[in-house]
Amino acid sequence: SIRDYQPEDVQALANIYYNTIHRVNIQHYTEEQIDVWAPATSLETEGWTKKFPKTKPIIATVGNEIVGFAEFEPNGHIDCFYCHHEWIGKGVGSALMQEILQRAKNNHIHFIFAEVSITALPFFEKWGFKIVTQQTIVRKGVELTNFKMERTV
């Protein structure tokens, strides 16, 4: 099921962020890239505790377990979009995307966009997103490739 963020979710979301990047995205990125994208410090809740009340993540759960989350901003931007590594391919991402599309319609947002990893590219394409541009971002001197993608709602 889908619900809104609650402050007690912060550690579970930090864990999903870190573990998904380290266990799933590692298939398309080097260890050095993964370590600058999701350093061990990303497991600490301090930064997330400040970020999440502003971004209000959408939470996907199965029973009482948090299995994914996405941040959907009022301007149509999807920021974080992560599924628990053990729940990839089981409909979690689709449930989150359906919720984002519904919220976009409800709020008269006609255009949504994201910066998408190599790993997530096929998923976003399946949901009708088109590549605007491939880009290289630099974090701590390390280059990472991602894709600016967009779609209309």
Side-chain angles (χ1 to χ4, degrees):
S1 61
I2 299 293
R3 65 169 173 78
D4 290 323
Y5 171 77
Q6 298 163 356
E8 59 269 19
D9 298 335
V10 67
Q11 187 65 64
L13 302 193
N15 292 347
I16 289 170
Y17 175 86
Y18 179 87
N19 286 307
T20 299
I21 293 167
H22 281 264
R23 297 176 185 214
V24 179
N25 296 98
I26 192 70
Q27 64 188 303
H28 296 109
Y29 295 89
T30 67
E31 204 162 317
E32 181 184 37
Q33 290 171 319
I34 293 296
D35 286 340
V36 297
W37 180 0
T41 55
S42 62
L43 286 166
E44 298 168 8
T45 59
E46 186 179 344
W48 298 114
T49 302
K50 293 175 185 164
K51 182 180 198 256
F52 289 148
K54 295 175 194 157
T55 60
K56 300 178 178 79
I58 301 164
I59 308 296
T61 61
V62 173
N64 290 325
E65 183 184 0
I66 296 175
V67 294
F69 73 100
E71 295 171 324
F72 183 54
E73 300 170 354
N75 66 353
H77 181 244
I78 298 170
D79 193 4
C80 287
F81 192 109
Y82 291 95
C83 299
H84 189 291
H85 63 277
E86 293 176 355
W87 287 88
I88 302 281
K90 297 181 180 177
V92 173
S94 293
L96 287 167
M97 188 62 77
Q98 286 172 336
E99 181 68 17
I100 286 171
L101 293 173
Q102 189 58 55
R103 289 184 185 201
K105 287 177 185 165
N106 292 348
N107 291 293
H108 309 289
I109 299 168
H110 304 291
F111 178 78
I112 57 178
F113 60 101
E115 295 77 36
V116 176
S117 70
I118 297 167
T119 315
L121 183 64
F123 173 83
F124 277 80
E125 286 178 326
K126 184 181 93 172
W127 280 92
F129 284 77
K130 302 291 183 219
I131 295 172
V132 175
T133 187
Q134 179 176 325
Q135 59 185 9
T136 301
I137 59 166
V138 180
R139 285 199 182 164
K140 296 183 180 174
V142 179
E143 294 184 349
L144 295 103
T145 298
N146 71 13
F147 300 87
K148 284 188 177 185
M149 299 188 80
E150 64 186 28
R151 68 160 281 180
T152 55
V153 180

